[in-house]
Amino acid sequence: GWGHPRDVRGFACQWESEIRAARSLGSRLGPDRYLELRYERLVAEPEAIVRRACAFAGLEFDAAMLDYVGRTDSGRKEHQQRLNEPPRRGVRDWRAEMAPSDRRAFEDVAGALLDALGYEVERKGSARLRVASYRARTAAWRGVGALVQRSPLWSRRHPVLQQPGA
């Protein structure tokens, strides 16, 4: 749809918006209800990080949690084959895999947040107007979706599913 990013700067807007929203929610919830994890740490120490997440959520750690590769259908599409590989250093690493021009474009939009999070950046860009425009478009997209789902036509074509035994 028209709310979905189409270029690197658009994805930078999405990334920045989602990270800022998550961190804002986390600050309101507090450290007892919000745990922020870094992908780089998960890749470097998968068991330790999954154990930490389990402890935070009050779940028992099971080694099978780390044995999911090849057991999901997430990598069915040709362009998603890396999802069939375990996370490891160098795979899905934006610093190594993005073209320099794409990194510059991303940093033009989200470089200030990357820097604030401790990532090494060449540019500390902050395209506030572009991010605000992205947020307005996605809010409009969600608003249109909400209106459409309230229409009688939508209700006829998408009946509410009943819970078993209800």
Side-chain angles (χ1 to χ4, degrees), residues 8-9 97-108 122-123:
V8 172
R9 284 182 175 84
E97 294 190 356
M98 285 179 84
S101 60
D102 288 343
R103 279 197 314 272
R104 283 191 297 276
F106 198 96
E107 289 178 5
D108 283 344
E122 294 175 18
R123 301 165 185 241

Side-chain angles (χ1 to χ4, degrees), residues 1 8-9 17 23 25 54 64 99 102 114 128 131 136 141 151 163:
V8 172
R9 284 182 175 84
S17 296
R23 298 186 101 215
L25 176 63
C54 286
D102 288 343
L114 285 165
R128 291 182 184 162
V131 172
W141 179 255
S151 75
Q163 292 289 338

Side-chain angles (χ1 to χ4, degrees), residues 18 28-29 39 75 88 105 111 116 120 127 146 148:
E18 290 176 1
R28 291 191 309 273
L29 292 174
Y39 178 76
R88 64 182 186 282
E120 188 176 310
V148 167

